Amino acid sequence: MKDIQKMKKAFTLIEILVSVMIVSFIVASAMSLFSKNQEMAVYIKKRASSELDNSLFVTTQGQKYNKDEKNAYDILADEFVIDEMESRDVLKKISKKINVTPARTISLGSIAPKEDDEQSSNPPAVTFKVNEIRLNGAYPARYFQFGN
């Protein structure tokens, strides 16, 4: 009788195998989730760095190179004196293809006509020009420039 009571207190081999399988499944799921989060963090870091690089190309000087592939040093060399060789090398590695659309005129709203002048057309309240700047590289981007 005492032997039967001792056996009931211990786990069976099947119970242990099932618990090991459950724990291994949970660990595998956690590792997969961690891996995906790490990949997303790397992507976000590279994308943020690319956005910072893109700001070097969205200048008046950069728009002169429509449909050309240029590096950041070529664009900034006319505006800034860059003496340090290490900085030059870093800027030369940052390369983008620049596409600038022709400026389009956009009119918004209208000015109400005077009461005595019903036949004249309503001129727009606001008129401005906009062009799109597309930068193609590892992480493409689109910017819009507004002006008069």
Side-chain angles (χ1 to χ4, degrees):
M1 187 76 165
K2 289 183 182 181
D3 291 334
I4 295 175
Q5 288 178 348
K6 284 184 182 179
M7 288 182 74
K8 287 187 177 183
K9 290 184 180 180
F11 291 108
T12 64
L13 183 60
I14 293 176
E15 291 173 332
I16 292 173
L17 287 175
V18 168
S19 63
V20 167
M21 287 177 55
I22 291 172
V23 168
S24 63
F25 178 74
I26 291 172
V27 169
S29 298
M31 289 177 67
S32 173
L33 184 62
F34 176 74
S35 173
K36 288 178 183 177
N37 285 344
Q38 190 174 19
E39 289 171 8
M40 184 58 77
V42 169
Y43 170 79
I44 290 171
K45 181 180 176 184
K46 287 181 179 179
R47 183 70 190 200
S49 177
S50 177
E51 291 298 324
L52 185 61
D53 294 345
N54 289 344
S55 67
L56 300 172
F57 293 88
V58 186
T59 63
T60 306
Q61 187 70 18
Q63 293 178 32
K64 293 178 185 177
Y65 301 110
N66 185 22
K67 298 184 181 176
D68 288 339
E69 183 158 345
K70 290 290 181 181
N71 62 46
Y73 178 75
D74 291 341
I75 292 175
L76 297 176
D78 293 340
E79 298 180 34
F80 301 100
V81 177
I82 304 169
D83 294 329
E84 189 178 319
M85 290 304 290
E86 185 179 343
S87 296
R88 286 182 184 188
D89 292 340
V90 168
L91 290 172
K92 285 181 181 179
K93 289 178 184 176
I94 302 170
S95 178
K96 303 279 182 180
K97 182 169 181 175
I98 304 167
N99 292 314
V100 181
T101 62
R104 291 178 39 184
T105 302
I106 297 178
S107 302
L108 297 175
S110 62
I111 299 174
K114 296 179 183 176
E115 290 180 18
D116 58 341
D117 191 16
E118 293 179 14
Q119 294 184 3
S120 68
S121 63
N122 300 346
V126 177
T127 302
F128 59 92
K129 293 184 179 184
V130 63
N131 61 331
E132 179 183 16
I133 303 167
R134 292 182 189 164
L135 300 175
N136 296 326
Y139 299 96
R142 297 169 64 180
Y143 297 93
F144 293 93
Q145 181 183 32
F146 297 91
N148 293 331

